């Protein structure tokens, strides 16, 4: 984004960032809510389930610790980087709902981590570039509130919706609705 955003509605931008943070954290908690059903349906042993539950964090941490996510946000247009990350994590979530084998779900969890690793560096860049200094603390607090609400509601709603509609339908619906 350039300084053009300053002339637009920053509150709308902030709302979209809060929703993005909410979805980012909602997505990462949904596998644990459906773990029992996923393990049973895909005939996974406990070791494989553990790999699935950890896969997201491997790529997420790698992108953060090596500074790759921050480098991308600093080097390229933050709008496009955040959009690409959002597309990647939403698509990975949706496609998980149709995956039939462990390797595919594992690969999709790795992609989820890659896509979501872009979020916080992007939020920081957008806030620093476009929000007046005296609003950045409040804006950052709202984004953080979205990231804390995401897993809380993700676990609750995810569990309830998976119990009613199944884990596959939930993942597909969450992934595609996130793209909206």
């Amino acid at each position: 984004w350039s300084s053009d955003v300053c002339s637009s509605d920053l509150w709308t931008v902030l709302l979209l960032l809060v929703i993005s943070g909410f979805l980012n954290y909602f997505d990462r908690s949904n596998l644990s809510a459906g773990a029992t059903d996923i393990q049973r349906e895909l005939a996974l042993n406990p070791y494989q389930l553990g790999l699935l539950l950890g896969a997201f964090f491997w790529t997420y941490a790698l992108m953060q610790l090596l500074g790759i996510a921050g480098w991308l946000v600093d080097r390229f247009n933050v709008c496009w980087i955040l959009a690409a990350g959002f597309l990647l994590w939403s698509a990975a979530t949706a496609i998980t709902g149709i995956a039939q084998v462990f390797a595919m779900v594992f690969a999709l969890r790795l992609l989820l981590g890659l896509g979501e690793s872009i979020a916080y560096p992007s939020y920081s860049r957008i806030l620093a570039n476009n929000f007046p200094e005296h609003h950045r603390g409040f804006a950052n607090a709202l984004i953080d509130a979205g990231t804390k609400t995401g897993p809380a509601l993700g676990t609750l709603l995810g569990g309830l919706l998976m119990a009613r509609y199944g884990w596959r339908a939930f993942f597909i619906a969450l992934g595609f609705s996130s793209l909206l």
Side-chain angles (χ1 to χ4, degrees), residues 7-25:
S7 63
S8 70
D9 187 1
L10 288 179
W11 294 108
T12 301
V13 170
L14 181 57
L15 176 64
L16 291 172
L17 293 177
V18 170
I19 292 168
S20 168
F22 173 82
L23 291 170
N24 182 306
Y25 278 72

Side-chain angles (χ1 to χ4, degrees), residues 2-176:
S2 66
S3 59
D4 295 340
V5 171
C6 290
S7 63
S8 70
D9 187 1
L10 288 179
W11 294 108
T12 301
V13 170
L14 181 57
L15 176 64
L16 291 172
L17 293 177
V18 170
I19 292 168
S20 168
F22 173 82
L23 291 170
N24 182 306
Y25 278 72
F26 193 106
D27 277 350
R28 67 177 71 181
S29 65
N30 58 17
L31 187 76
S32 60
T36 304
D37 293 337
I38 294 167
Q39 183 178 23
R40 185 178 339 103
E41 187 175 325
L42 298 180
L44 304 176
N45 62 45
Y47 177 75
Q48 289 173 311
L49 182 60
L51 288 175
L52 289 183
L53 291 169
F56 161 86
F57 296 102
W58 298 349
T59 52
Y60 185 88
L62 187 65
M63 293 288 286
Q64 298 293 324
L65 292 172
L66 295 180
I68 298 168
W71 179 83
L72 287 169
V73 167
D74 285 341
R75 177 91 167 97
F76 302 103
N77 182 308
V78 69
C79 291
W80 289 110
I81 297 299
L82 181 57
F86 204 97
L87 175 65
L88 184 61
W89 91 59
S90 297
T93 298
I95 296 169
T96 297
I98 61 171
Q100 299 294 321
V101 295
F102 165 79
M104 177 100 169
V105 178
F106 184 76
L108 290 165
R109 293 302 288 181
L110 293 172
L111 289 175
L112 181 73
L114 285 175
E116 290 192 3
S117 72
I118 293 300
Y120 254 105
S122 296
Y123 303 154
S124 297
R125 181 71 170 195
I126 291 166
L127 294 181
N129 285 351
N130 300 294
F131 283 76
E133 187 174 341
H134 62 279
H135 287 305
R136 289 181 198 154
F138 178 72
N140 198 36
L142 288 179
I143 292 169
D144 193 48
T147 66
K148 302 308 183 260
T149 309
L153 289 179
T155 304
L156 174 65
L157 294 176
L160 292 171
L161 292 171
M162 283 186 222
R164 182 171 179 106
Y165 300 105
W167 71 273
R168 290 186 180 280
F170 177 77
F171 274 73
I172 292 168
L174 178 60
F176 285 119

